[in-house]
Each structure stands twice: as structure tokens, then as C-alpha cells.
Amino acid sequence: MAVGWIVAGRLLRTVDTALADVDAAQEERDRRLQEVVHELRTPLAVMGTNLELAATGPAVDAESAGFIDAARRALDRMDRTVDDLAGQGQLVVDPTRDPVDLSRVATDVVGEFSGPARRRGLHLVTGDAGPIETGSGEPAALRTVVGNLVANAVRLAPQGSVVTVDWGSLGDWVWIAVRDEGPGIPEHDHARVFERGWRGPHERFRDSDGAGLGLTIARQLTEAQGGMLTVESAEGTGSAFTVWLPTSPEADATEVAAEDGIHPREIPVGVGSER
């Protein structure tokens, strides 16, 4: 019996030590996160001030004003992200807000990336479905989701190709999709595309600043709004990432997503792709 108590005591001390190590590691991660947040605030404020000054300059033409406005919106989204990290240590989503117009989200995101797309010789276009609203959602979070998808497409799509942001509805769901004519993703990698740190084969063997976080964050923010993010892709034919958001509490996920939860059950009209 005494031996049993000794062994139990040692086990408890081991567990206590392990828990203390976990707490210490978490504290260190929190400290580093707050340091990063602090270091981001000053350059963000400087960029905001410079953009305001640039917008009021006497020689600003309409096109330049459009680029400045796009940069301002992107900076606002970054400010929100930093505020979330400072207050909560993670991205925060309030899915109980009012309906969000997908056409407005698409137009705003395309405007933000028009400059980078032009620099890479890409045609960045939107669909023409008109206003379609979500059941509820958070505009900033949805813009982050679509922005991450467009950023990937603009980074990887070949010069002269088209990147399309389209939207629509299907049953009790609305969708907004980003379709590119890039290198595509092999089918055996589809299950991994949303993993943290994953990078496709075409990114691994080229100079790319992709960190493998954009799709992970996009999926997390989509699911936080009660939605799903699916992929449809094949090598050499491009990729289509579709954000699905329910319009009612009765929305059935099997109506739009395959059993694997990765592919769409039905390809939205206007997106088009074949696996």
C-alpha cells in the first residue's frame, strides 16, 4: 500500500510539473503575441496618417484616389485584426449581426486587390448577380475570408489569366466564390489545404511569400459564422474556393457540401470547375 501511495505521489508531481510547463508556455506565447501587437500599432497608425494626407493631395486623380481608398479599407481590416488579437488573443467574430450583402463584399475586396492584380497582369473581375444577403454575419470577417482567398489567387495565378469573385444562392444557403486559372491543387492534397502551415506544391518550389495560414484563417472565420468553406480544384485547371453561409437556422449542410466536408455537393452556377 505504501508503495502505491509513493507511485501515486510521483505521478501527481509529474502531472503538476507538466501543467506548470504548459501554463508557462502559454504565458510566453501570450507575452510574445502582445509584443507583436504592440509593434504593429505604430506602423499601422503611420500608414493611416500617410494615406489620409495622400488622399487630400492636390494632384490626386480619380484612379489614384481609388487605390488610396482600397488601401484604407485594407488597413481598417488590419486594425480590426490587431484589436482582436490585443483584446482576445484571437480573431473574434460576432455572427449575430445583420445580413451582409455579398455583392458589396465582392466589390470591396476586388477594389482592394485591383492594384496587386494589375501589377501581376491579371484580370480581376466580379460576377453580376446583384445584391444577395446572408442570413446574418459580420462584414469585416467575411471581407477577411474573401480577401485571403483573392490574395492566394493573385499570388499564384499566371500572368494574363482571370480571377473571378462570384456569388449567388442555393436553397437555404448563399455563397461567394473565388475562381482562378492558376496551377490548381492535386486531388490527393484537397484534404490538407485548410491545415495550418500547408503550402501547395507550386508554392513550395517557387519564390512565394505564402505562409500557409490564409486558408486556415478563412475556414475558421467562415465556420465561426455558421458556414463552410469548400474547394474544387485540379492540376492545370485552376481552383474555386466557395464560402457557404446559411440563410436560416434550418439550413442543412448536406444540401451544399459533400460527405467529406471539403468539396461542394454541387458546383455553384458561374463558378465552374471539374475535378
Side-chain angles (χ1 to χ4, degrees):
M1 178 66 75
V3 173
W5 283 111
I6 292 173
V7 172
R10 288 176 178 173
L11 287 174
L12 288 173
R13 285 195 295 274
T14 300
V15 171
D16 287 342
T17 300
L19 290 175
D21 290 342
V22 169
D23 289 341
Q26 182 62 50
E27 289 178 1
E28 177 66 13
R29 285 194 294 270
D30 291 344
R31 182 184 66 79
R32 291 185 179 182
L33 175 62
Q34 294 306 317
E35 288 176 352
V36 170
V37 167
H38 180 270
E39 291 302 311
L40 284 173
R41 288 194 181 280
T42 297
L44 287 175
V46 170
M47 284 189 285
T49 300
N50 286 332
L51 284 173
E52 290 176 5
L53 292 173
T56 58
V60 177
D61 56 27
E63 184 179 39
S64 298
F67 287 133
I68 292 172
D69 185 55
R72 178 72 256 181
R73 292 197 302 271
L75 189 62
D76 287 342
R77 286 200 294 111
M78 195 179 299
D79 278 334
R80 173 192 177 276
T81 299
V82 170
D83 287 342
D84 285 350
L85 292 175
Q88 307 291 334
Q90 61 183 354
L91 299 178
V92 179
V93 175
D94 178 8
T96 62
R97 295 193 177 186
D98 294 333
V100 181
D101 181 4
L102 297 183
S103 66
R104 177 65 182 273
V105 171
T107 301
D108 286 350
V109 172
V110 166
E112 289 179 18
F113 284 90
S114 59
R118 175 186 291 188
R119 176 168 293 181
R120 293 213 59 242
L122 302 175
H123 304 285
L124 183 55
V125 300
T126 63
D128 56 3
I132 293 179
E133 292 187 338
T134 65
S136 63
E138 183 176 290
L142 192 51
R143 288 190 183 94
T144 296
V145 171
V146 179
N148 284 356
L149 299 179
V150 172
N152 280 350
V154 168
R155 189 175 70 251
L156 296 173
Q159 185 175 7
S161 64
V162 179
V163 175
T164 305
V165 183
D166 210 345
W167 62 94
S169 61
L170 182 64
D172 289 327
W173 297 81
V174 294
W175 56 267
I176 183 167
V178 177
R179 173 82 166 99
D180 65 56
E181 298 173 346
I185 304 166
E187 189 166 2
H188 63 264
D189 276 337
H190 288 189
R192 301 185 57 209
V193 296
F194 301 115
E195 293 178 1
R196 183 176 296 274
W198 182 84
R199 299 175 72 201
H202 297 280
E203 288 191 271
R204 293 195 292 267
F205 299 111
R206 62 175 281 183
D207 250 348
S208 172
D209 58 1
L213 295 175
L215 291 177
T216 303
I217 293 172
R219 191 178 204 187
Q220 290 174 348
L221 291 178
T222 299
E223 292 178 346
Q225 297 178 82
M228 297 173 294
L229 179 58
T230 61
V231 59
E232 190 72 15
S233 184
E235 279 193 290
T237 64
S239 303
F241 287 89
T242 305
V243 180
W244 301 90
L245 296 168
T247 57
S248 73
E250 292 76 29
D252 183 359
T254 62
E255 183 181 6
V256 294
E259 291 183 4
D260 60 14
I262 298 170
H263 299 108
R265 180 172 296 280
E266 179 178 336
I267 301 171
V269 175
V271 177
S273 174
E274 294 183 0
R275 287 197 358 244

